[in-house]
Structures are given as C-alpha cells and as structure tokens.
Amino acid sequence: MKTLNRVSKYCIIIGVLVVFFLLSGCSMKFGTVGEKTHFAYPNSNVQPIGHVQSMITKTGFFFPPLVTGEDVRTLIDQALSQKAGADFVINPQVDTKITTLFIYYELTMTLSGTAASMEIGRQELQENLKKFAY
C-alpha cells in the first residue's frame, strides 16, 4: 500500500511538471526602422498619402518559421493596396514578434509607415520656396 501511495505521488509530480513544461512559453519582439521600401527616382515629387499598416502571421512546429522574400513582398503589397496611388512606404517600421509555446512557434510581422506617391519629372522647387516663405 505504501508503494502505491509513493507511485501516485510521483505520478502527480511528474504530471504537474509535464503540464507546466507544456504551458510554458515566451515571446520576443524586435524591430527596425527604414528610410523607404522602394527606390525614389531623383528629381521626383514625392507626396505622402496617409498611414498604412499590414501584418502577416506564420506558424511552425519544432522549428520557428522562416521569413522569405515573398513574405516581405506580400507585407509591402498589402500596405500599398490600402491607399490608392501609393508607390512606396516612407519611414517604414517593421516589428517582428516570435511567440513560443513548447514546440509551437508563431511569428508575426507588422509593417507600418506612411504611404507615398511619386511623380517622376522635375521638382517643383519654386512652389515649395513660396510655400515656406523662403
């Protein structure tokens, strides 16, 4: 009878440890800020349109999911599609969050910034000089 109690105690302790191990996890967040997402032609007129934000989420088991070039293009295209006439995003901020729960990984990438349009041609410097009273 004593060995049965001893075995049941060990089973309970091992069960609690397994449950704790399975439910433990952590989350890491890191990011970067850039200048722009695409090349702006010299002497082009760049006009901000408005704030945009897009997000993608990927999951994986045993190993964290990889971010591919296609994922980044999808993130940028989603952001540009929010504003009509947007050519690129200026001052983009890309935040990446990785959450782990034992063998489950979730990666979330968020792009936020200002969508801008670009008109290729001569810059309108005289209008800007008058606007700023220079």
Side-chain angles (χ1 to χ4, degrees):
M1 194 68 168
K2 289 183 180 184
T3 58
L4 185 59
N5 287 337
R6 185 182 235 175
V7 170
S8 63
K9 282 183 183 180
Y10 286 130
C11 286
I12 291 172
I13 291 172
I14 290 173
V16 168
L17 289 175
V18 167
V19 168
F20 177 74
F21 187 68
L22 288 175
L23 294 179
S24 66
C26 71
S27 186
M28 295 181 295
K29 187 173 183 179
F30 49 93
T32 183
V33 176
E35 184 179 328
K36 57 189 173 283
T37 58
H38 293 81
F39 177 75
Y41 289 101
N43 293 327
S44 62
N45 295 309
V46 176
Q47 296 294 326
I49 299 174
H51 182 75
V52 292
Q53 184 172 353
S54 63
M55 180 174 56
I56 61 168
T57 301
K58 296 177 76 173
T59 60
F61 288 97
F62 296 108
F63 299 104
L66 297 176
V67 177
T68 63
E70 185 64 32
D71 295 331
V72 175
R73 282 189 289 278
T74 301
L75 195 63
I76 293 171
D77 290 342
Q78 285 177 359
L80 292 177
S81 68
Q82 294 175 11
K83 299 289 182 181
D87 295 315
F88 58 93
V89 178
I90 54 177
N91 300 326
Q93 180 174 350
V94 180
D95 292 320
T96 306
K97 180 181 177 183
I98 299 175
T99 303
T100 63
L101 184 60
F102 188 53
I103 60 170
Y104 175 76
Y105 292 87
E106 181 178 87
L107 181 135
T108 304
M109 285 184 66
T110 306
L111 169 76
S112 61
T114 304
S117 66
M118 176 175 49
E119 181 185 328
I120 301 171
R122 298 180 65 168
Q123 286 189 345
E124 301 160 359
L125 296 177
Q126 290 299 327
E127 290 180 17
N128 287 336
L129 290 175
K130 291 177 186 175
K131 183 171 39 174
F132 298 117
Y134 185 70

